[in-house]
Amino acid sequence: MSDPQRRPRPTARLLLSAPDRPGLVAAIAEFIFRNGGDVTQADQHNDEEEGMFFQRVEFRMDDAFKLSRSQLPLALAEVAEPLQMTWSVRYSDDDRRVAVLASRQSHCLVDLLGRWYAHELPGRLVLVASNHPDHAELVGHFGIPYHHLPVTPETRPAQEAALVRVLDEAGVELVVLARYMQILTATVIDRYPDRVVNIHHSFLPAFSGGQPYHQAYAQGVKLIGATAHYATAHLDQGPIIEQDTARVTHRDGVADLARTGRDLETVVLARAVRLHLTDRVLVHGRKTIVF
Amino acid sequence: MSDPQRRPRPTARLLLSAPDRPGLVAAIAEFIFRNGGDVTQADQHNDEEEGMFFQRVEFRMDDAFKLSRSQLPLALAEVAEPLQMTWSVRYSDDDRRVAVLASRQSHCLVDLLGRWYAHELPGRLVLVASNHPDHAELVGHFGIPYHHLPVTPETRPAQEAALVRVLDEAGVELVVLARYMQILTATVIDRYPDRVVNIHHSFLPAFSGGQPYHQAYAQGVKLIGATAHYATAHLDQGPIIEQDTARVTHRDGVADLARTGRDLETVVLARAVRLHLTDRVLVHGRKTIVF
Amino acid sequence: MSDPQRRPRPTARLLLSAPDRPGLVAAIAEFIFRNGGDVTQADQHNDEEEGMFFQRVEFRMDDAFKLSRSQLPLALAEVAEPLQMTWSVRYSDDDRRVAVLASRQSHCLVDLLGRWYAHELPGRLVLVASNHPDHAELVGHFGIPYHHLPVTPETRPAQEAALVRVLDEAGVELVVLARYMQILTATVIDRYPDRVVNIHHSFLPAFSGGQPYHQAYAQGVKLIGATAHYATAHLDQGPIIEQDTARVTHRDGVADLARTGRDLETVVLARAVRLHLTDRVLVHGRKTIVF
Amino acid sequence: MSDPQRRPRPTARLLLSAPDRPGLVAAIAEFIFRNGGDVTQADQHNDEEEGMFFQRVEFRMDDAFKLSRSQLPLALAEVAEPLQMTWSVRYSDDDRRVAVLASRQSHCLVDLLGRWYAHELPGRLVLVASNHPDHAELVGHFGIPYHHLPVTPETRPAQEAALVRVLDEAGVELVVLARYMQILTATVIDRYPDRVVNIHHSFLPAFSGGQPYHQAYAQGVKLIGATAHYATAHLDQGPIIEQDTARVTHRDGVADLARTGRDLETVVLARAVRLHLTDRVLVHGRKTIVF
């Protein structure tokens, strides 16, 4: 979707992990070469403490490539299995369907709408859902369906069931929590493992939980932060994808911290969404490898 | 407009400059105190090389304040004149009418619309003008008039005359060039001295002029930048308000630099607009003092 | 000590705090002006939540100034008392005697020695003390006394008593913990309130306590930090003076985080020391105002 | 030298460039695997505009590796030649002999001495040369020879000849210009192609040439920068290795910019030296690939 002039031909993107041993790089490189692929990017990481090998390989699949998209997985499995590799393959022209969940604050939502409008989002924004009706009209102007799903502690199970139905029907593969101020339970999280990206408005693990800007103000920190991470059943503890900080001073009250923070949140979330949608994030345990 | 809970009562904002001499701070502090004002922020700068004094003072004007808004200038002049002070006074609740000029690229425009939508812009977005029709519908959705003013080298004088007419009729006090890709002549610039804010997509003075990302790529720099400055008759040389940089690598082609740069441009321009609209920028010669 | 060409004449530096009320700025400005002083810098902060006023004023005390250094406190007290001001006054040419405490790691120590060697430290480095003998020779080369004060849990009281003796005899006013890996008890801390600066190798409050880089590695954070703060009886919880962060990736093992961190620690500690020694830090409760 | 616990066994580091074609990655991976090497890091870059392929591969050469250090180049050449590869191989335990050139300012020099003292420099500091005698004693304390080589416009040829003699005799492979304030001519530069690292005290290409902080002050920039680059015959135009910026304000006079800048220069130069000495920099034309 983005940069059409730079990557005119579709590429395949392979994400691999395996117990480390000599020959892994050679095996994959040889497989791609043998089948007529042309590697355009390859990046590997060896975690020496855990003895693990991780790799992202991107390669062109033009006319010279000998395997169809339906043949590739089978052929790759033959190489990967003896080496105990876990792998996934995606294509640069995949139709990635993205949902955004928001509440009252609009900064992350409008930013993502703006990227969608400018053809900068490497995916298709298929729906926005919210526990508030506030932004229905705005989202509608961008031509995107808006699902108002109000929620109370009592109706949470039903609301989440409705949410899952909406996501499933739209074929969503990535759920972006754009300052969605409700805690999602396992009903949603477990259905989209490593596919729900949340933005937390602090430099985690500092100031997890509620009202991080109030906490930051009380502590008198000289920097505030924002953290994009995959949502898990443990609040604010999922694998971190991206973080950034901004300088603040004693002059900044809670409202100032929040305002400065909104610009941070916006850009940190957008970067994480882009990393995910370009298949650059590999989750291992509670950490990410970001290629 | 923003932070209503923190500054509930209107404040006056005084921007002063004068040849430095003892007693300037005392004279202003005494004037405000004598008239029943309460200073909430005061910041001064002494340029020792030039022997100049600059100050921004913000003070509350509630019931206790003895001067009306029409009386204040006269009373202040009596203090300021003997001290050779140049000064201006604005109020936090002034209706600041802002115009945005844009071309094809939408990132800065949508960001400013989003801030306006979220009540974060400390001013009123009264119109968008563009040499292209592209964003008319989007801007209309936000309820803001869109003026399509196409331009060619031949029609520039007429187009600029039309632009000035539109700005004047709307009572605009700040013109924001949100990646407006046309050079404005003195027709517009001279009418809005220190009131046209431009975003240049490089760390000025590096890469002034056209295609800064191509220049940056050719040079192999490891950081790219963005610069918000007041537009003057000299292209890319007006007083700098705000700058920032972002890290790039050899992997980043021109399109990648441009994409990373757009996030920089957006936030640097937004900060400059906010600084201007909260009366924090004082221009002195070719430089700014940003309180 | 530094910048002799820019501040040739000595200045007085006033740090003030008071319950906020109208007229505080005017009272101080008038006092300085009336006595012939010339304000070169003034910076104020109003904490609206707590109703407190804080100010730093720097003014020239050349021949025209009517008060001697022994008269100034008395004269100032007359103004300050009715306004319930807490205040302190220091002079730019004060002889500030600084001690550095270090352990095995040398990066912060060598950095401070280097600044001292280059006449960049705005104070006089009068001694280094350490629980290890490692750096005695190096420090000696710089002409600075080195006190080797080994410590075990059993000998801590005696060692701290010896340390206090050494500090007192040298007339030390600032103690810099340059990666000193021993916890100081109230014996030392209470004797130097708000005058012991520590560098913690994380972005506090994240990763307080031991082995912050191990903690950061385990969490998979994308940034690491360093925090300079005043040491208090509560470990890693004293008022924060300065913080900064640096970007890291999944490639960085604990040793890499530590190496990147050392550069952060060095510069963050040096900035905090400079801020303290130029009288720019005012402690209020558990927070600092850094002018 | 550094991180002994993490990389106990020596590794080979291969830097490759070649006209891009399919199979390059596979050829190298297969070569290493076939000879019993174990890739610990591999990073590649494809410059699509120029059709060039660049790679850095690091692999363990323990007992299982079949080639000796004298055999490796020959064996590698057999693979590389048909693919038109340009390559170099270095070993992690190579004895890299480093010279530092300095003038009056000591900050970069002391920083490098401190890293050497802390066993953090991935090389051996074998000599310091300077056109001033100022730091002879300090450098001597660190046990490093100091060559005082004064220079005037008339004596430059003789001085540079003497400098080359000193460098050659010490077997120096990297020359670090640590704020050495003399222009080196081709006599020195051509003898150490891509092996003389300079630190320029601005964000190049802005403010090349003399007195960059004066230029930055005059322009009123809001950030200052530092640039480490390979020295070439063209002043301040050699391939950039590393850059960084720091925020400044209107309050900062030239002396303040210089002081803030010194911290930037120190860390940017140190990073570039480390990158060079760990074989992470590949020069291509006027740009670098930094793996």
mmCIF file of all heavy atoms in Angstrom, chain B residues 13 26 104 133 151 203 214 221 262 265 267 279 285:
data_model
loop_
_atom_site.group_PDB
_atom_site.id
_atom_site.type_symbol
_atom_site.label_atom_id
_atom_site.label_comp_id
_atom_site.label_asym_id
_atom_site.label_seq_id
_atom_site.Cartn_x
_atom_site.Cartn_y
_atom_site.Cartn_z
ATOM 1 N N ARG B 13 -1.244 38.674 28.631
ATOM 2 C CA ARG B 13 0.121 38.234 28.311
ATOM 3 C C ARG B 13 0.877 39.392 27.683
ATOM 4 O O ARG B 13 0.506 39.862 26.608
ATOM 5 C CB ARG B 13 0.094 37.058 27.345
ATOM 6 C CG ARG B 13 -0.545 35.818 27.930
ATOM 7 C CD ARG B 13 -0.946 34.885 26.818
ATOM 8 N NE ARG B 13 -1.620 33.701 27.321
ATOM 9 C CZ ARG B 13 -2.271 32.839 26.541
ATOM 10 N NH1 ARG B 13 -2.328 33.051 25.238
ATOM 11 N NH2 ARG B 13 -2.851 31.798 27.069
ATOM 12 N N ALA B 26 11.542 45.435 37.821
ATOM 13 C CA ALA B 26 10.828 46.070 38.928
ATOM 14 C C ALA B 26 9.695 46.962 38.427
ATOM 15 O O ALA B 26 8.592 46.971 38.978
ATOM 16 C CB ALA B 26 11.802 46.880 39.787
ATOM 17 N N ARG B 104 -0.884 19.132 -1.737
ATOM 18 C CA ARG B 104 -1.343 17.756 -1.898
ATOM 19 C C ARG B 104 -1.167 16.915 -0.636
ATOM 20 O O ARG B 104 -2.002 16.081 -0.304
ATOM 21 C CB ARG B 104 -0.579 17.087 -3.051
ATOM 22 C CG ARG B 104 -1.050 17.521 -4.415
ATOM 23 C CD ARG B 104 -1.518 16.308 -5.217
ATOM 24 N NE ARG B 104 -2.532 16.654 -6.207
ATOM 25 C CZ ARG B 104 -2.297 17.139 -7.418
ATOM 26 N NH1 ARG B 104 -1.060 17.335 -7.819
ATOM 27 N NH2 ARG B 104 -3.290 17.398 -8.226
ATOM 28 N N PRO B 133 -7.604 20.972 -5.286
ATOM 29 C CA PRO B 133 -8.956 20.732 -4.750
ATOM 30 C C PRO B 133 -9.023 19.498 -3.846
ATOM 31 O O PRO B 133 -10.043 19.228 -3.233
ATOM 32 C CB PRO B 133 -9.790 20.500 -6.019
ATOM 33 C CG PRO B 133 -8.811 19.893 -6.988
ATOM 34 C CD PRO B 133 -7.450 20.489 -6.667
ATOM 35 N N VAL B 151 -3.068 27.922 -8.914
ATOM 36 C CA VAL B 151 -2.072 28.942 -9.229
ATOM 37 C C VAL B 151 -1.107 28.422 -10.298
ATOM 38 O O VAL B 151 -0.765 27.244 -10.328
ATOM 39 C CB VAL B 151 -1.295 29.360 -7.956
ATOM 40 C CG1 VAL B 151 -0.502 28.190 -7.377
ATOM 41 C CG2 VAL B 151 -0.382 30.555 -8.209
ATOM 42 N N PHE B 203 16.477 20.099 8.720
ATOM 43 C CA PHE B 203 17.059 20.807 9.850
ATOM 44 C C PHE B 203 17.791 22.020 9.295
ATOM 45 O O PHE B 203 18.975 21.954 8.993
ATOM 46 C CB PHE B 203 18.020 19.861 10.588
ATOM 47 C CG PHE B 203 18.683 20.495 11.770
ATOM 48 C CD1 PHE B 203 17.965 20.774 12.915
ATOM 49 C CD2 PHE B 203 20.035 20.806 11.743
ATOM 50 C CE1 PHE B 203 18.584 21.362 14.007
ATOM 51 C CE2 PHE B 203 20.657 21.391 12.830
ATOM 52 C CZ PHE B 203 19.923 21.672 13.960
ATOM 53 N N HIS B 214 15.863 14.351 -0.655
ATOM 54 C CA HIS B 214 16.815 13.870 -1.651
ATOM 55 C C HIS B 214 18.231 14.324 -1.288
ATOM 56 O O HIS B 214 19.189 13.561 -1.401
ATOM 57 C CB HIS B 214 16.442 14.380 -3.047
ATOM 58 C CG HIS B 214 15.233 13.700 -3.627
ATOM 59 N ND1 HIS B 214 13.956 14.034 -3.259
ATOM 60 C CD2 HIS B 214 15.116 12.695 -4.529
ATOM 61 C CE1 HIS B 214 13.087 13.269 -3.928
ATOM 62 N NE2 HIS B 214 13.766 12.447 -4.701
ATOM 63 N N VAL B 221 23.271 11.491 5.680
ATOM 64 C CA VAL B 221 23.162 11.927 7.072
ATOM 65 C C VAL B 221 22.505 10.839 7.922
ATOM 66 O O VAL B 221 21.783 9.986 7.409
ATOM 67 C CB VAL B 221 22.348 13.240 7.208
ATOM 68 C CG1 VAL B 221 23.117 14.404 6.613
ATOM 69 C CG2 VAL B 221 20.985 13.091 6.563
ATOM 70 N N ARG B 262 7.626 13.040 7.802
ATOM 71 C CA ARG B 262 6.270 13.568 7.938
ATOM 72 C C ARG B 262 5.842 13.613 9.414
ATOM 73 O O ARG B 262 5.190 14.561 9.838
ATOM 74 C CB ARG B 262 5.290 12.743 7.105
ATOM 75 C CG ARG B 262 5.378 13.063 5.610
ATOM 76 C CD ARG B 262 4.226 12.459 4.819
ATOM 77 N NE ARG B 262 4.360 11.028 4.641
ATOM 78 C CZ ARG B 262 5.000 10.433 3.631
ATOM 79 N NH1 ARG B 262 5.577 11.153 2.684
ATOM 80 N NH2 ARG B 262 5.072 9.132 3.555
ATOM 81 N N GLU B 265 7.607 16.630 10.870
ATOM 82 C CA GLU B 265 7.025 17.888 10.392
ATOM 83 C C GLU B 265 5.728 18.194 11.130
ATOM 84 O O GLU B 265 5.479 19.320 11.560
ATOM 85 C CB GLU B 265 6.713 17.787 8.892
ATOM 86 C CG GLU B 265 7.921 17.589 8.007
ATOM 87 C CD GLU B 265 7.545 16.979 6.667
ATOM 88 O OE1 GLU B 265 6.390 17.130 6.235
ATOM 89 O OE2 GLU B 265 8.414 16.326 6.051
ATOM 90 N N VAL B 267 4.608 17.253 14.082
ATOM 91 C CA VAL B 267 4.683 17.627 15.491
ATOM 92 C C VAL B 267 5.456 18.931 15.675
ATOM 93 O O VAL B 267 5.118 19.741 16.551
ATOM 94 C CB VAL B 267 5.247 16.438 16.313
ATOM 95 C CG1 VAL B 267 6.731 16.321 16.164
ATOM 96 C CG2 VAL B 267 4.833 16.520 17.768
ATOM 97 N N ASP B 279 1.262 33.137 22.651
ATOM 98 C CA ASP B 279 2.066 34.360 22.819
ATOM 99 C C ASP B 279 3.394 34.092 23.500
ATOM 100 O O ASP B 279 3.806 34.807 24.421
ATOM 101 C CB ASP B 279 1.259 35.401 23.613
ATOM 102 C CG ASP B 279 -0.093 35.653 22.986
ATOM 103 O OD1 ASP B 279 -0.125 36.026 21.807
ATOM 104 O OD2 ASP B 279 -1.116 35.437 23.656
ATOM 105 N N GLY B 285 15.159 40.580 15.325
ATOM 106 C CA GLY B 285 16.060 40.408 14.186
ATOM 107 C C GLY B 285 15.724 39.121 13.471
ATOM 108 O O GLY B 285 14.568 38.832 13.185
#
